[in-house]
Amino acid sequence: MFSKSGYNDNLKELIKAKKADKSIVKIIKDNLEIQSNAKSIIKKNEKEIKELAKNNEKNETIKTQTSLKNLKEYISIRKEIKDIKKQIKKMSGEVKTNNKKIESAEIQNSELEKEIENQYKIYQENEVYAKAFEKIDKNIVKLPEEFYASYTKHMELYNNSIYSVEKNSTLPEPNAEDFLGILNALKESEEKQKRKSSTSKKTTTKAQTKKTTTKKVAKKNEENK
C-alpha cells in the first residue's frame, strides 16, 4: 500500500538507489488525491440525496392531501417535487461518475504497485548479479570471454537505466542463464577458496608442530649434557 505522499518501502528504496524517478510518485499521489476528493463528493451527495428524498416524501404526502380546487398550491408542490427529483438525479449521476474515478484510480495504482514490486525484484537480482561477480576469485575460477562480454554489456545497460513512467523506461532483467551461471561460479570459487585455505592452514599447523617438536628435542639434549 502507498502512503499519502505516494510512496511505499520498495519505491523509496528504488528512488534512493537512483533506479526509479519521482514521475511514478506523482501519478500515485494524483490517484490518491482523486480517490480522496471523489469520496468526499460522494459522501456529501449521498447525505444531500437522503435529505432531498425525505423532503420529497413529505411533498408527495402533501400533494395527495391537496385538493385540485387549490390549483396554485397543487402546481407549486408538483413543481417542487419535480425540481427535487432533478437534483437527486444530478447528484446520483455525480456519485456514479466519482465512483468510476475511484475505481480507475485504484486500478492504476494497483497496477503500479505490481510493477514496482516487479522492478524492485529486478533491481535486487541485478545487485546480487553484480556483487556475485565481484566476489568471484578470477584466479581460481576461469570464466569464458563471452560471459565477460555478456556481463559487461548487461551491467552497462543496467547502470544507465531507470524505472520511469515519464521516460517510459524500466530496468533490464539479467539473463536467467547468465544469472544462474554467475551464482554457480561464485559457489565454485568459494568452495575452492575454502579448500585452499584449509590446505594452507594444515600446512602451517604441521610446520608449527614440527618446529615445536624440534625445539623440545633440542632442549632435552641440552639438559642431558
Side-chain angles (χ1 to χ4, degrees), residues 86-141:
K86 280 183 180 179
Q87 287 182 63
I88 290 173
K89 186 177 179 180
K90 182 187 174 186
M91 287 184 177
S92 296
E94 287 176 0
V95 168
K96 190 176 179 181
T97 299
N98 281 283
N99 272 320
K100 285 181 179 178
K101 285 182 181 180
I102 290 170
E103 185 182 1
S104 177
E106 283 177 344
I107 289 170
Q108 191 173 23
N109 273 4
S110 178
E111 287 172 352
L112 280 170
E113 191 170 19
K114 287 177 185 176
E115 185 55 30
I116 288 165
E117 188 177 340
N118 182 51
Q119 290 297 303
Y120 184 73
K121 182 183 174 185
I122 292 171
Y123 157 70
Q124 286 183 311
E125 286 178 353
N126 276 297
E127 293 300 311
V128 169
Y129 190 47
K131 287 172 185 175
F133 187 84
E134 289 170 6
K135 286 181 181 179
I136 294 170
D137 189 331
K138 313 303 185 301
N139 295 318
I140 294 178
V141 178

Side-chain angles (χ1 to χ4, degrees), residues 21 26 39 56 63 69 75 97 100 102 109-111 116 164 190 211:
D21 66 19
K26 186 181 183 306
K39 284 175 183 177
N56 234 19
K63 189 182 81 168
K69 291 178 182 179
I75 291 171
T97 299
K100 285 181 179 178
I102 290 170
N109 273 4
S110 178
E111 287 172 352
I116 288 165
S164 170
E190 288 176 343
K211 188 176 179 181

Side-chain angles (χ1 to χ4, degrees), residues 199-214:
T199 302
S200 176
K201 188 177 180 181
K202 284 179 183 178
T203 303
T204 303
T205 302
K206 283 181 181 179
Q208 287 175 343
T209 303
K210 187 176 180 181
K211 188 176 179 181
T212 303
T213 303
T214 303

Side-chain angles (χ1 to χ4, degrees), residues 135-159:
K135 286 181 181 179
I136 294 170
D137 189 331
K138 313 303 185 301
N139 295 318
I140 294 178
V141 178
K142 302 297 178 185
L143 298 173
E145 286 299 322
E146 59 268 23
F147 186 86
Y148 274 101
S150 176
Y151 171 82
T152 303
K153 184 179 178 182
H154 174 78
M155 290 314 296
E156 185 179 348
L157 181 63
Y158 170 68
N159 290 333

